[in-house]
Amino acid sequence: MAEQTPETHVIAFRAAEQLLDARDPRGAIKLLDSVIAAHPESGAARLLRARAYFASAQLRAAEREFQYIVDQEPDNAFAHFALARTFQRAGRSEQATRHFRLAAALDPKPEYLEAAGFDAAE
């Protein structure tokens, strides 16, 4: 296997983005595993892998990654929203509601407000 460098990790990350956009989340996960092994603190790589796990219906793994992001960046509205969607998809509505509300409180985007059950006019 070729030596891994910061440049190859950037290339792998960008390729993983393309794979996820092309609806190949499992391919994206494979690329991101090596990036995260080399850079475990990378929030961007972990967030992308979480999205790929979600897209491939690996909900426990998606939950673990989104939770990591929320723990590291408690003000990341998208991470709360995505974690809520993961809980929702897993049938855990109480946990989903909590994170939908946190996302809406952090960033009052219409989609976050609607998911949280808030009226945008409130």
Side-chain angles (χ1 to χ4, degrees):
M1 184 168 169
E3 181 181 340
Q4 297 289 305
T5 65
E7 292 81 14
T8 59
H9 294 142
V10 170
I11 292 166
F13 178 86
R14 296 295 179 216
E17 285 180 317
Q18 294 296 318
L19 287 172
L20 189 56
D21 287 345
R23 299 191 176 176
D24 182 4
R26 292 183 186 273
I29 292 165
K30 286 180 186 176
L31 289 175
L32 290 166
D33 286 344
S34 65
V35 174
I36 293 169
H39 305 281
E41 74 292 345
S42 174
R46 285 183 173 269
L47 191 58
L48 187 59
R49 186 167 70 173
R51 291 177 46 223
Y53 281 136
F54 183 84
S56 64
Q58 296 180 58
L59 299 182
R60 290 266 185 218
E63 175 187 341
R64 185 177 61 247
E65 291 292 349
F66 285 130
Q67 187 64 59
Y68 176 87
I69 299 297
V70 165
D71 291 345
Q72 299 301 307
E73 303 173 33
D75 60 344
N76 186 323
F78 175 78
H80 281 286
F81 183 76
L83 181 57
R85 285 277 185 233
T86 304
F87 285 138
Q88 183 182 52
R89 195 167 172 189
R92 296 160 62 190
S93 61
E94 190 173 306
Q95 290 167 296
T97 299
R98 177 177 181 268
H99 286 280
F100 280 137
R101 289 181 176 168
L102 284 166
L106 290 166
D107 185 358
K109 286 183 174 180
E111 66 193 278
Y112 295 177
L113 292 169
E114 181 180 338
F118 298 141
D119 182 356
E122 286 181 6

